Amino acid sequence: MMNLTLDTCINTNTLLEIDQACFSIMNLYYTPVIFYAIAWDAYSGTGIPVSTLLPNSNTSLIISTKYPLHIFYEVMENGKFFEYCHTTYTFKEHGSYGWNISAKSICSDIYLLREPTESNLPIFAAFMILLLLAILWTTSKVIVRVVKVKLSSNIVHDDLERLQDTETVTHPIIQTTEFSTRIHSVDTFRGIAILLMIFVNNGGGDYVFFKHSAWFGLTVADLVLPWFAWIMGMTITISKRTELRVTISRMKLILHCLRRSAILILLGLMINSMDSKSLNNLRFPGVLQLLAVSYFVCATLETIFMKLYSEFGRFAMFRDILHSWPQWLIMVGIVLTHTLITFLMPVPNCPRGYLGPGGRYEYRGKYINCTAGAAGYIDRSIFGDHIYSKAEPTIYGSILHYDPEGLMNTISAIFIVYLGVHAGKILLLYYQCNSKVVRWLLWAVFTGLVAGILCNFEMIGGVIPVSKRMMTLSYVLTCCSFAFLLHTILYVLIDFKQVWSGAPFIYAGTNPILLYVGHVLTKKLFPWSWHIAHPTHASLLAMNLWTTSLWAIIGYLLYRKNIIITI
């Protein structure tokens, strides 16, 4: 935060950048006052001293509007400091606000000096433009289809007249492509995940809700990786059953899983090397590494235990669970081990079961070196300097390095992938649409309820709060609940009712790894990205949507050429 003159706050916003506002504080005390402010998500009885307000003066400050702020002031009385006027307020971008404080701790309500801008208007405009394009595209396809039907009817009429003098009719040849045999709802789900990942990784218009949560809670960006891992689990079930039915030996399949995982890990290390100046600080964990390990564990389990033909008699309605009880026992063991380590493992100078970010989050920095609890301690002990180390400003101040795709989070990802595996079991073992839909919805409700119980149905609270940074169990179950629900909707619309082809997401979903690696490599290159001298939400959103659309077009071109690049 910085000091401004009062006239600047009232008359112009030229000095204000994205997610900033003016705050003018009138101090009517006869002594200096210390003003404190901290993001509400980070407040736990202490704040950050922002400015010393001179006696009988008006001080204007630039403040952040990313999160609701908890503000108060401190004044010395009779040789002791006292805090007054604690309040939490949601400031809005480029607005100008005022606050009056006076002796005897009398504080006015925060009042508006200048109206804020509508920072979310670009999102609405972009949505309307995309909706209009979708309507035009759909309308054009309908018109083309009607024209083709009329033309084909005329051709068929002419052909029938010619065939009256012939004795045989040649049967038409039905052509199939690699795409025609795929499950379209699965590719569409995967396309949604990968395009959303590209959008948020490129900045998401610099909107807070398109970025990962500060530590606790859930944003749109927090859903991307779990959804991709979940749908990867579904494809494991589909592919392994197909491979086993063509009599490929299980040992060869395990070796194939190992080879694929090794390639993903290598690609992940290559991507990490872009941010490392030497091997001494090369980051070992990463997104692709997390996917590789979780894929190998779940794919290997399915290869070993999958039953191709099973009959359960009167218990046939539970065959999706009975079919894979060994895998479920192992998953329960993995989740239980992760939970016990998280809550029982001793961490030096930290309480057992600590799940917070450390820093100045709580108890006036008492747990400043406890970032990520046992998970962070394990990563720092095993990987040393080879973990995520980008210096990012946080609302909790300086925190210890930890890795969001570290060892403990990878264990959590295994469970995410396996819930996707189970969704695939439902897809293959039940033949009626209603049977599949009901079971997917039951799993969505079950995982959602368990997650809600664990976090007490709060963004920050409960026995196990929701945290993407640590991939807590409540976070895993919440994301998987949404995944079950989303896939159910896609399956009904695309594969059952066939009222939507899945476009444009289905195209990106056929080459997700290529698009992911490609977008990372070209993230700062033209025409995917360019420098904006005075960025705004609108300009950044336009660029990020263009980047995402460009990769969607590349996915479409690969689709049209029947090109699928797999590992």
Side-chain angles (χ1 to χ4, degrees):
M1 299 184 185
M2 60 179 292
N3 292 334
L4 296 172
T5 65
L6 180 60
D7 291 339
T8 301
C9 271
I10 294 177
N11 298 324
T12 180
N13 61 7
T14 54
L15 294 180
L16 298 180
E17 299 178 358
I18 291 177
D19 294 326
Q20 288 185 343
C22 277
F23 190 34
S24 299
I25 307 174
M26 178 68 73
N27 176 22
L28 300 179
Y29 276 87
Y30 293 104
T31 58
V33 168
I34 302 176
F35 172 67
Y36 288 79
I38 189 170
W40 173 244
D41 289 350
Y43 177 71
S44 56
T46 183
I48 303 171
V50 174
S51 178
T52 299
L53 311 179
L54 298 178
N56 291 307
S57 66
N58 193 311
T59 304
S60 295
L61 306 169
I62 287 182
I63 58 174
S64 172
T65 63
K66 286 183 179 292
Y67 305 96
L69 288 182
H70 185 80
I71 61 176
F72 59 95
Y73 69 89
E74 188 177 67
V75 63
M76 179 178 286
E77 296 177 350
N78 300 322
K80 294 182 180 180
F81 283 101
F82 294 90
E83 297 177 359
Y84 294 110
C85 296
H86 282 264
T87 185
T88 302
Y89 193 84
T90 301
F91 297 90
K92 295 185 178 181
E93 186 180 72
H94 293 177
S96 183
Y97 302 85
W99 195 39
N100 300 334
I101 59 177
S102 61
K104 299 181 181 179
S105 68
I106 298 175
C107 300
S108 71
D109 293 331
I110 295 174
Y111 52 90
L112 193 63
L113 294 173
R114 187 181 64 245
E115 290 288 340
T117 58
E118 291 294 337
S119 59
N120 293 332
L121 188 59
I123 297 178
F124 177 75
F127 174 78
M128 296 304 297
I129 292 173
L130 293 175
L131 181 61
L132 178 61
L133 291 175
I135 293 173
L136 293 175
W137 175 259
T138 304
T139 304
S140 64
K141 288 185 67 176
V142 171
I143 294 174
V144 170
R145 189 180 299 118
V146 170
V147 172
K148 284 185 176 180
V149 169
K150 289 184 177 181
L151 292 175
S152 62
S153 63
N154 294 333
I155 294 174
V156 168
H157 179 73
D158 294 339
D159 288 345
L160 288 175
E161 291 180 350
R162 294 191 192 99
L163 288 172
Q164 289 178 354
D165 298 329
T166 62
E167 296 181 356
T168 60
V169 179
T170 303
H171 293 285
I173 298 175
I174 300 176
Q175 294 184 345
T176 61
T177 65
E178 191 169 357
F179 291 106
S180 63
T181 59
R182 299 170 69 93
I183 301 175
H184 292 174
S185 60
V186 173
D187 283 335
T188 303
F189 189 108
R190 192 161 43 201
I192 291 173
I194 193 63
L195 290 180
L196 191 57
M197 183 181 294
I198 292 172
F199 176 68
V200 299
N201 283 357
N202 279 277
D206 206 25
Y207 286 100
V208 173
F209 41 81
F210 287 141
K211 294 180 177 294
H212 292 297
S213 54
W215 194 269
F216 297 111
L218 194 69
T219 66
V220 175
D222 295 332
L223 297 170
V224 174
L225 182 56
W227 280 4
F228 193 86
W230 187 91
I231 201 64
M232 181 177 70
M234 178 174 278
T235 60
I236 287 175
T237 303
I238 298 170
S239 63
K240 293 310 165 192
R241 191 174 80 157
T242 302
E243 291 167 349
L244 288 171
R245 282 190 168 180
V246 296
T247 65
I248 299 177
S249 72
R250 295 180 187 258
M251 183 54 67
K252 285 185 178 180
L253 288 180
I254 293 175
L255 293 176
H256 174 74
C257 295
L258 181 61
R259 180 185 67 84
R260 187 180 187 192
S261 298
I263 293 175
L264 284 174
I265 291 174
L266 179 60
L267 286 174
L269 291 174
M270 291 171 63
I271 290 174
N272 288 352
S273 67
M274 297 172 59
D275 298 319
S276 299
K277 297 181 180 179
S278 69
L279 292 177
N280 294 330
N281 60 0
L282 174 64
R283 181 191 177 198
F284 289 164
V287 171
L288 292 182
Q289 294 90 315
L290 177 144
L291 293 174
V293 174
S294 55
Y295 166 83
F296 178 74
V297 172
C298 292
T300 301
L301 287 177
E302 288 305 300
T303 301
I304 295 173
F305 295 109
M306 178 177 280
K307 299 176 182 178
L308 298 181
Y309 306 99
S310 302
E311 293 293 337
F312 296 100
R314 68 179 66 179
F315 300 107
M317 65 181 301
F318 302 109
R319 57 182 175 269
D320 55 317
I321 298 175
L322 298 176
H323 187 273
S324 50
W325 64 266
Q327 296 97 304
W328 271 111
L329 286 179
I330 294 173
M331 283 301 126
V332 170
I334 289 175
V335 173
L336 184 61
T337 300
H338 181 278
T339 304
L340 292 176
I341 292 175
T342 300
F343 287 95
L344 299 182
M345 179 178 174
V347 178
N349 302 316
C350 299
R352 293 179 188 267
Y354 184 76
L355 299 172
R360 57 175 176 242
Y361 171 59
E362 53 192 354
Y363 304 114
R364 297 186 181 272
K366 180 179 180 180
Y367 303 138
I368 188 170
N369 294 322
C370 297
T371 302
Y377 179 72
I378 289 172
D379 288 338
R380 290 188 290 271
S381 299
I382 294 177
F383 299 117
D385 294 331
H386 300 281
I387 60 175
Y388 189 83
S389 58
K390 287 184 180 179
E392 292 183 338
T394 72
I395 62 177
Y396 311 105
S398 298
I399 62 176
L400 292 183
H401 290 313
Y402 75 99
D403 205 299
E405 285 82 41
L407 183 60
M408 291 290 284
N409 287 7
T410 300
I411 295 175
S412 293
I414 293 173
F415 187 48
I416 297 175
V417 174
Y418 192 75
L419 286 173
V421 169
H422 189 77
K425 296 281 182 67
I426 294 173
L427 176 69
L428 297 180
L429 293 177
Y430 298 93
Y431 303 107
Q432 294 183 343
C433 179
N434 290 343
S435 299
K436 300 175 184 179
V437 168
V438 168
R439 284 168 174 80
W440 284 328
L441 291 178
L442 286 175
W443 274 99
V445 172
F446 174 73
T447 52
L449 282 176
V450 175
I453 293 171
L454 291 177
C455 69
N456 198 29
F457 294 95
E458 299 174 357
M459 297 299 284
I460 305 176
V463 179
I464 304 180
V466 176
S467 173
K468 188 273 175 189
R469 305 285 181 169
M470 293 192 64
M471 283 200 180
T472 56
L473 183 58
S474 58
Y475 164 77
V476 166
L477 294 174
T478 300
C479 294
C480 289
S481 176
F482 287 123
F484 276 108
L485 180 61
L486 176 60
H487 181 263
T488 303
I489 296 172
L490 295 177
Y491 180 80
V492 171
L493 294 178
I494 298 172
D495 292 323
F496 181 60
K497 296 293 185 179
Q498 297 184 356
V499 296
W500 179 34
S501 66
F505 305 105
I506 191 173
Y507 311 130
T510 54
N511 283 288
I513 298 299
L514 173 65
L515 266 60
Y516 174 79
V517 174
H519 104 274
V520 172
L521 296 178
T522 61
K523 194 173 182 180
K524 298 180 181 180
L525 301 178
F526 184 83
W528 288 274
S529 177
W530 54 86
H531 174 69
I532 300 177
H534 302 288
T536 63
H537 281 303
S539 60
L540 291 175
L541 180 66
M543 183 176 67
N544 298 151
L545 285 175
W546 160 251
T547 303
T548 307
S549 300
L550 192 57
W551 281 110
I553 293 171
I554 293 173
Y556 172 72
L557 294 176
L558 293 173
Y559 180 92
R560 288 296 301 269
K561 295 294 184 180
N562 197 28
I563 298 174
I564 298 179
I565 300 176
T566 59
I567 296 175

